[in-house]
Amino acid sequence: MSTQTMIGWAGRDITPDRPVSLRGLFNLRIATKVRDPLTTTALAIENDGQQTIFVSMDSCAVNEEVLEAVRERLAERLPEFDPRRLIVNATHTHTAPFSGGGSGLEKEKEYIEDIRRDYPDYMSIGEYTDLVVEAISSACCEAWQARAPGFLGWGYSYAVVGENRRVRYFDSHAEMYGDTSDPDFSHIEGHVDHSVNLLFAWDADEQLTGMIINVACPSQCSEGGQDFISADYWHDTREEIRRRHGEGVFVLPQCSAAGDQSPHRLINTAAEDRMMRLKYDNGLSRRDNSGLRQDIARRIADAVDDAETAARGDMRGSVAHDHSLKEIELPHWDITDEEYETAQREHVEYCEKLAAMDDHDPIAAEYTSMKTRI
């Protein structure tokens, strides 16, 4: 017989207060302003000796360096918690800084002197990594220490957030974000996943305290933003859910398997743009997309309302809780001779183009994009 489930929540702001480099595109991007804040949220669950802390962060990815650093701190600060039972995920926004290692497309170390020339108060990747590690660690500690008897319930609903972004043509080749108006356009290549998986938490008085929301789409409505920090549609979603359910409600977003999914529609874009303008006075734009963000927030919040009402009928004060750890060996990708030769040709081509750009600003978009491709 399982014992009473113990639940605790906490959150931290992880918004940088100085210029930072953004992770996610080919060119170097220095953000100098904040469109909306970045957050990290922690949910601690313990039942019948089993324990887990879930963490979500508004970031492009979770670097192993960050994960291991947080686990080391938790081993010191929370000796009663097994740090191997920490699960951290990112929302995969393209308007958040690097955190950990700088192992992305744009390498800070290649440009640091020129960056500091133009942005003397620049916050390095190392500095931001320290900020994130401390924020996650302290949120985990607070969530764990805040554990109290409560109820859990799970639900499933639907919201149109992502669409498949792989375009297939009659000659059988495919392109990401391909042109669907091309006469050779055949079809959108693959699956679309509109499922919203939810885990709700209520306190002992059956008041909603927070939820995990799992959506198969990266948060990239505003991915074209070159100079601002943003949590993308998850900021709007948190705002909408709290407007409906209370400011104190925690929202822990998860991006499930979504390699081919994107919030950018490739069919009926003119119709969608018109509706965004009619509803929000803001058309489709890779840079801002505030209308689309609000629309997605409404759809997810509607899915939350739909599932939470039903899940209340099956809230559990005691749940079976099992956390298993597995190491998975991923196969090595052996490229073909043809792929190698193609890469070699492209490398020579890009090097020649870069050589012709000697007079360019070394941290300009065109120049850094070419270096990234090389």
Side-chain angles (χ1 to χ4, degrees), residues 105-234:
L105 296 176
E106 321 84 352
K107 305 294 193 301
E108 172 193 75
K109 63 183 180 182
E110 295 185 22
Y111 309 106
I112 190 65
E113 292 184 4
D114 294 300
I115 291 173
R116 293 202 182 280
R117 175 201 67 203
D118 292 350
Y119 308 96
D121 58 342
Y122 174 76
M123 178 181 285
S124 69
I125 292 174
E127 290 176 293
Y128 185 69
T129 300
D130 291 341
L131 182 156
V132 167
V133 168
E134 177 56 32
I136 295 176
S137 302
S138 61
C140 288
C141 291
E142 182 181 331
W144 185 256
Q145 292 159 357
R147 285 167 300 139
F151 300 91
L152 293 176
W154 45 96
Y156 180 84
S157 191
Y158 301 91
V160 176
V161 181
E163 299 282 357
N164 197 287
R165 60 184 178 175
R166 296 265 303 176
V167 175
R168 176 71 68 171
Y169 296 91
F170 285 121
D171 65 0
S172 293
H173 89 281
E175 294 180 18
M176 185 171 72
Y177 296 126
D179 182 4
T180 58
S181 66
D182 190 303
D184 289 328
F185 165 65
S186 173
H187 60 278
I188 301 295
E189 184 178 61
H191 179 61
V192 173
D193 187 352
H194 296 320
S195 60
V196 180
N197 286 278
L198 298 133
L199 179 68
F200 298 103
W202 300 271
D203 63 19
D205 296 325
E206 302 185 3
Q207 296 298 306
L208 183 67
T209 59
M211 66 200 72
I212 293 178
I213 308 177
N214 187 293
V215 175
C217 184
S219 49
Q220 293 175 3
C221 290
S222 305
E223 66 179 336
Q226 295 290 312
D227 61 353
F228 60 77
I229 294 290
S230 174
D232 210 86
Y233 70 74
W234 280 115

Side-chain angles (χ1 to χ4, degrees), residues 52-73:
T52 304
I53 297 180
F54 293 97
V55 171
S56 176
M57 59 187 292
D58 294 323
S59 180
C60 185
V62 180
N63 281 70
E64 187 173 359
E65 177 184 338
V66 171
L67 184 59
E68 292 307 313
V70 172
R71 284 179 169 155
E72 289 177 8
R73 296 196 186 188

